[in-house]
Amino acid sequence: MASAEIGTPVVSPVLPRPDRKAWGVVILLFVFFTLNFADKAAVGLAAQQIRRDLGLSAGDFGLVGSAFFWLFAVGAVGLSAAMRWISAKWAAAILMFTWVASMLPLTVPTTFGVLLASRIVLGFFEGPAHALCQSVVADRFPKEKRAFAGSIVNAGSSVGPLISAPVLTWVIVSHSWHAAFLVLIAVGVVWLVVWLCYVERQPLRKRPAAGARAAAEADPNGHIDVPFLRLLRLPSFWGLSLLSFAGYLITSLKVSWLPAFLGEGLGYAPTTVGWLVTAPYATAVVVLVASGYLSGRLLSRGWSSRAARGHLSGALIVFAGLSMIAFALVGPGTLQLVLVICTFSINSVAFSVAFAGASDFLPQRQRAAFFGCVIGFYSIAGIVAPYALGLIVQAGPTPSEGYSNGFLVVGIAICVFAVIGARLLDPEAARRTLEAETAMGRVS
């Protein structure tokens, strides 16, 4: 292995300017993420029909929301690691195929056990989706454009429910909740065909790089060479994980309980709920794209990545947590709805801006597995939050009071995790540490 002197600056290669093909891939990944969150939202939108048809209590339905995340972490870590050896084209295609297959049993009358099993399997195969998308974006864009491109992809997490809420609600009310899953399957098959036709030809298995120089030319952080487990001991790993955990507390409740809260807790009719649910998702698209653009602008103006990635994400998520605490305490009305929109429109910032910060110091070959570990950690929020909220609602004197108590507890937790996470995430410090350890390893 070539030697390097400690302290010798390493000149990182610069990625080429993204071309039209790269932006086309971003749009397809945006649709990919749109479907990813549309199928998450489908069960929440059909909450009343599902509970009536299957005779489920609030606790039982909370278990359904939680079940999606039981193997989410296993899929995020295990499949992300396995996909290091599979090209991005085929990895995304395999995931979409498994999503479609896992939803098929829900297109016909079924049982609580089948519903539970379907959500568990779907969660397992959706686990690596975010890691894959962020890795593909990082491969195709320089760091000052990563947050913006990643934000466009992650906007699918809001556009999915934004589009699906009124459409799937109409399908559910006019036909049945089974028909909603049939619609999702049809759209998934169309996406799969377009993806395979559009993305450049790639073999199923990744081809090894021609050598260290070729790898470095393709990867700005290709010169960093440390054991993977070392990455998991970085403060920035835990900062990113805690920021994402705070954001996912909101995400998991948004997709599983927000429609039920608006209907059962606030008393809105199902068709009204279908439209009200779109407000946080529509706002989230603006917040995501604006925060990604702002992060890139801050970097280009000389701000540190700690401020542009960690502090920006942390401040926005703390604001969301405070809004949740506030809407749990105020009475029904316009102010409460505004606070609900503020809370549930900021949750995805950590998954674009903060994740872009991690790409600033990670070698390409270790990104997907690193992101998979982060996703595995924050998916614990998806396991705990929906079920815990269901139990609190069930224990409350009234559904309205139960929702208030549950959201108050979660809002406080969001603020605590976001503050600690923002403090720990420092991409520049992480990169300096990894470069120093790489140089030490080469000398020894």
Side-chain angles (χ1 to χ4, degrees):
M1 183 176 293
S3 64
E5 294 184 10
I6 301 174
T8 301
V10 178
V11 180
S12 300
V14 178
L15 290 177
R17 185 180 181 86
D19 58 14
R20 188 174 299 177
K21 190 82 172 181
W23 286 109
V25 170
V26 165
I27 298 303
L28 281 172
L29 290 177
F30 161 77
V31 179
F32 180 79
F33 229 50
T34 296
L35 291 170
N36 180 284
F37 273 77
D39 62 43
K40 284 188 181 76
V43 167
L45 293 169
Q48 292 183 352
Q49 267 198 27
I50 291 174
R51 289 180 62 180
R52 184 186 66 241
D53 290 355
L54 302 181
L56 306 182
S57 65
D60 293 333
F61 186 74
L63 193 64
V64 172
S66 173
F68 179 89
F69 300 98
W70 291 356
L71 293 181
F72 192 89
V74 178
V77 177
L79 293 180
S80 293
M83 285 179 180
R84 291 175 60 191
W85 310 106
I86 302 174
S87 66
K89 175 176 183 174
W90 290 103
I94 290 169
L95 289 184
M96 181 58 72
F97 177 81
T98 54
W99 298 356
V100 167
S102 66
M103 289 187 287
L104 279 173
L106 303 184
T107 59
V108 295
T110 188
T111 64
F112 176 61
V114 172
L115 173 62
L116 210 61
S118 173
R119 301 304 286 175
I120 293 171
V121 172
L122 182 62
F124 175 75
F125 285 107
E126 288 201 355
H130 186 234
L132 175 65
C133 289
Q134 290 300 318
S135 183
V136 172
V137 167
D139 289 347
R140 286 170 166 78
F141 292 86
K143 71 176 185 177
E144 65 273 12
K145 291 185 179 294
R146 275 182 203 142
F148 181 61
S151 294
I152 292 175
V153 174
N154 281 315
S157 65
S158 297
V159 173
L162 173 64
I163 296 174
S164 67
V167 173
L168 293 184
T169 298
W170 177 82
V171 172
I172 291 164
V173 172
S174 302
H175 302 281
S176 71
W177 63 276
H178 304 290
F181 284 98
L182 191 60
V183 170
L184 291 171
I185 288 171
V187 178
V189 171
V190 172
W191 182 92
L192 182 58
V193 172
V194 174
W195 173 259
L196 291 174
C197 292
Y198 180 82
V199 177
E200 62 272 11
R201 293 182 62 185
Q202 296 177 8
L204 175 62
R205 184 178 173 85
K206 283 183 179 176
R207 291 179 180 142
R213 178 171 304 210
E217 287 175 357
D219 180 8
N221 298 319
H223 60 286
I224 293 175
D225 185 14
V226 299
F228 178 74
L229 291 180
R230 175 64 184 94
L231 300 177
L232 304 187
R233 298 199 302 272
L234 291 169
S236 285
F237 168 77
W238 293 103
L240 178 58
S241 296
L242 290 172
L243 281 169
S244 302
F245 187 93
Y248 218 69
L249 285 172
I250 305 172
T251 298
S252 61
L253 295 182
K254 178 161 72 169
V255 299
S256 59
W257 278 109
L258 180 57
F261 167 61
L262 293 172
E264 186 179 27
L266 302 185
Y268 292 101
T271 51
T272 305
V273 168
W275 287 104
L276 284 177
V277 165
T278 64
Y281 290 108
T283 308
V285 175
V286 178
V287 172
L288 266 172
V289 175
S291 62
Y293 177 77
L294 176 60
S295 178
R297 290 289 294 171
L298 290 175
L299 282 177
S300 65
R301 289 176 177 241
W303 287 61
S304 69
S305 60
R306 186 177 194 180
R309 309 299 202 195
H311 292 172
L312 176 61
S313 299
L316 289 169
I317 295 173
V318 166
F319 176 73
L322 293 175
S323 297
M324 181 177 284
I325 293 170
F327 84 64
L329 296 176
V330 304
T334 303
L335 176 60
Q336 188 184 51
L337 282 177
V338 170
L339 290 169
V340 168
I341 292 170
C342 290
T343 297
F344 291 107
S345 62
I346 300 175
N347 55 296
S348 296
V349 168
F351 311 134
S352 53
V353 175
F355 263 71
S359 296
D360 293 346
F361 63 83
L362 289 171
Q364 179 182 8
R365 63 188 176 280
Q366 292 176 318
R367 275 191 209 124
F370 182 93
F371 289 155
C373 290
V374 174
I375 293 168
F377 180 87
Y378 76 60
S379 68
I380 298 170
I383 297 173
V384 174
Y387 186 47
L389 185 65
L391 294 178
I392 295 173
V393 170
Q394 191 170 302
T398 65
S400 180
E401 290 182 56
Y403 281 113
S404 294
N405 295 336
F407 285 126
L408 179 62
V409 171
V410 176
I412 294 171
I414 289 166
C415 293
V416 171
F417 289 126
V419 169
I420 298 173
R423 175 71 179 167
L424 292 175
L425 180 58
D426 188 346
E428 289 167 347
R431 195 170 196 268
R432 288 194 299 269
T433 298
L434 296 177
E435 287 179 338
E437 293 184 9
T438 296
M440 287 285 291
R442 286 175 178 166
V443 169
S444 61

